[in-house]
Amino acid sequence: MRFRNRLALPLLLTAAIGGLVAPPAQAHPARDVEVTAPSLYPEGVAWDPTRQSYLVGSVRFGTVAIVQRDKTVRTLVSDPAMVSIFGISVDAARGRLLVTYADLGLGERSGPATVNRQSGLGIFDLRTGQRISLVDLAGGAGEHAANDVAVDARGNAYVTDTVGDALLRVDPRGRITARVTHPDFAAPGFGVNGIVWHPDGFVLTVVYSTGRVFKVDMDSGRVDEVKLDQPLLGGDGLVLRRDGSLVSVTNSLGAAGVNGVRVLTSGDHWRTARQSPVTPWTGGAPTTAAAGPFGTAVLTGHLEALTTGDTSARTFTLRRF
């Protein structure tokens, strides 16, 4: 998400979300899990199959933490170069953790030199949390803020720049190999937000402030709008499930959306899509979701409080959807 007068507002929200602690082998995870993590304010989440746990990123501290079985967190990544962590993706095949980092004015290390200027992809060793590389995605002049990230089977990363209105592709060696822009990515508030890689060779992304969904070929740069019966206003995190359906998390953090979750399906290769009725979300604004072995987990990190300067939250919530 983004506000056009973003430098005047100690900003904001985006999206990306997370989930539940993995239970013992045959147990069924609780529908609601409250995780103790004082002032963490997570926005992004991913399932880590190597640990059988979820990982969450911190908007306030710029760290990545492991959600442990006792419903607490343990820091995995702490790199002072990153102000806030937003999107998270696990590349287990290559032993990598990929995160997007930026400064929307909400982090402890936020400052005039980095607000809406810092924008990058952090690549870390999944086991140790040690830095492999930081890829600068700011692209020179203008405002930028990397938001969400998805990874394909070859290890290419796809990143949304919600302030710079662009999609970028980064290869496994850390090189930017594609950058796609389009007039319809621009919005009065935050732009392109959640993103998923589709195994048929394209990405799907949603524009937060307008609720429009796009199918993008990163090789050719072709951008096609997915026709919906109604826009996904406040569209934040996206999750592509194994059955081909798309889970969409929406919120009212910076747009006239509803705090809720819905499922999109398409029978024509995402030229059009049908939406299920929205499932309302209580207890705060959800930001994103992650698919794990027990279903889809939706994260509520209480970012609505952080945007007002309230740093007193001691927990965040993970709920099965």
Side-chain angles (χ1 to χ4, degrees):
M1 307 167 283
R2 116 165 155 284
F3 299 105
R4 287 292 172 184
N5 60 341
R6 44 195 175 262
L7 291 177
L9 289 156
L11 281 92
L12 128 147
L13 291 60
T14 25
I17 285 193
L20 294 149
V21 177
Q26 285 113 341
H28 208 39
R31 187 159 294 278
D32 296 296
V33 174
E34 191 172 53
V35 181
T36 300
S39 204
L40 192 70
Y41 295 98
E43 198 270 352
V45 62
W47 171 254
D48 177 4
T50 69
R51 291 183 173 87
Q52 294 290 294
S53 300
Y54 283 92
L55 307 179
V56 294
S58 173
V59 172
R60 187 172 183 219
F61 300 132
T63 56
V64 178
I66 303 165
V67 179
Q68 302 184 112
R69 295 179 187 272
D70 64 356
K71 302 177 187 177
T72 64
V73 298
R74 176 172 63 85
T75 300
L76 173 64
V77 173
S78 181
D79 191 313
M82 303 184 298
V83 175
S84 293
I85 298 294
F86 293 98
I88 302 179
S89 188
V90 170
D91 181 11
R94 295 163 189 82
R96 302 186 306 163
L97 172 65
L98 292 88
V99 304
T100 55
Y101 62 93
D103 183 1
L104 294 172
L106 300 173
E108 276 197 326
R109 293 189 287 267
S110 176
T114 53
V115 170
N116 291 312
R117 300 284 188 240
Q118 183 179 89
S119 180
L121 177 69
I123 305 173
F124 297 88
D125 184 284
L126 180 60
R127 183 179 64 84
T128 66
Q130 294 299 305
R131 182 202 288 187
I132 296 173
S133 64
L134 297 181
V135 183
D136 183 8
L137 302 179
E143 296 182 334
H144 299 276
N147 188 325
D148 201 8
V149 57
V151 180
D152 68 18
R154 296 183 177 182
N156 295 297
Y158 301 84
V159 177
T160 57
D161 181 346
T162 196
V163 170
D165 303 323
L167 305 181
L168 300 101
R169 182 176 62 199
V170 179
D171 74 9
R173 296 175 61 183
R175 301 174 301 184
I176 300 172
T177 57
R179 183 177 185 273
V180 176
T181 61
H182 192 275
D184 290 338
F185 290 169
F190 288 98
V192 285
N193 201 324
I195 190 169
V196 294
W197 165 257
H198 194 285
D200 287 345
F202 55 86
V203 298
L204 294 168
T205 189
V206 61
V207 177
Y208 181 83
S209 295
T210 66
R212 300 170 73 179
V213 175
F214 295 95
K215 173 184 175 181
V216 182
D217 184 322
M218 295 296 293
D219 289 325
S220 67
R222 177 172 173 170
V223 176
D224 294 303
E225 183 170 3
V226 179
K227 302 300 181 183
L228 306 176
D229 54 354
Q230 60 180 338
L232 296 175
L233 289 175
D236 210 328
L238 300 175
V239 176
L240 187 66
R241 301 196 293 193
R242 288 185 178 180
D243 64 2
S245 62
L246 185 70
V247 174
S248 169
V249 178
T250 61
N251 58 56
S252 58
L253 290 171
V258 298
N259 293 335
V261 183
R262 69 196 76 193
V263 178
L264 283 66
T265 57
S266 177
D268 57 8
H269 208 56
W270 294 99
R271 289 188 289 274
T272 65
R274 299 177 299 277
Q275 300 180 48
S276 69
V278 64
T279 299
W281 224 247
T282 58
T287 50
T288 189
F294 306 107
T296 303
V298 178
L299 168 69
T300 302
H302 305 301
L303 292 184
E304 68 278 2
L306 185 60
T307 58
T308 68
D310 182 352
T311 59
S312 64
R314 297 190 57 79
T315 64
F316 62 88
T317 304
L318 306 167
R319 289 175 58 188
R320 283 187 63 225
F321 171 70

